[in-house]
Amino acid sequence: AQSVTQLGSHVSVSEGALVLLRCNYSSSVPPYLFWYVQYPNQGLQLLLKYTTGATLVKGINGFEAEFKKSETSFHLTKPSAHMSDAAEYFCAVGRAGNMLTFGGGTRLMVKP
Amino acid sequence: EAGVAQSPRYKIIEKRQSVAFWCNPISGHATLYWYQQILGQGPKLLIQFQNNGVVDDSQLPKDRFSAERLKGVDSTLKIQPAKLEDSAVYLCASSLGGTGANYGYTFGSGTRLTVV
């Protein structure tokens, strides 16, 4: 069984500030980990994924995430927030050939 | 490569009516998934197909929901009769499978269903 917990359903940052969205997972097997972004009335867009290899993963739009096995975490960060980053972000855990299990999502708000 | 195609984009129906959604996955993707995303929540798996066979439908409300993937390519999800709580976005995804860095998983834009 696998599950995902995203701490904070809403996160607000100022433009130019650090973005940190938290994700903790549980999985009985080594996981594949994903971050997706969803803009209003749109589908899910893959930001980045960890499947194997380097634990610091870089994605699109300047986002990155680090897989920390000891902490069962996969937090998403971006050094400097932009207004266009305002969206809903979902962390998900999966494994080859299997479904993805999603967290409840974090809505990121960026203040000017 | 073309993405995962879904139609219709929006649908409004009255409760107790029936509705169907269509999905065409990325060419060559053997695995197809239907997810339900209720407003303010993360997507939840309804059913997973591998080619034309069902892998997991444990979360599918089978008294009203049905899905098929007859030729192992496109898929249809049906709700009959619809309830108010079925209002959600229905997302289709397809997966190449594989392992490691080759693992791929792509979502369509979804169908937004409103039951009134």
Side-chain angles (χ1 to χ4, degrees), chain B residues 60-80:
Chain B
L60 188 73
K62 299 180 186 62
D63 58 332
R64 299 184 299 106
F65 285 65
S66 64
E68 59 184 14
R69 193 185 183 199
L70 293 176
K71 296 182 179 179
V73 181
D74 55 350
S75 176
T76 302
L77 177 70
K78 296 179 181 178
I79 308 175
Q80 182 179 10

Side-chain angles (χ1 to χ4, degrees), chain B residues 21-55:
Chain B
F21 313 127
W22 174 82
C23 172
N24 191 25
I26 291 175
S27 178
H29 280 198
T31 310
L32 184 148
Y33 310 80
W34 283 102
Y35 286 82
Q36 179 192 57
Q37 185 180 18
I38 294 172
L39 185 65
Q41 299 181 20
K44 182 186 76 172
L45 181 75
L46 291 174
I47 189 168
Q48 175 184 349
F49 291 96
Q50 180 75 19
N51 296 309
N52 62 349
V54 175
V55 174

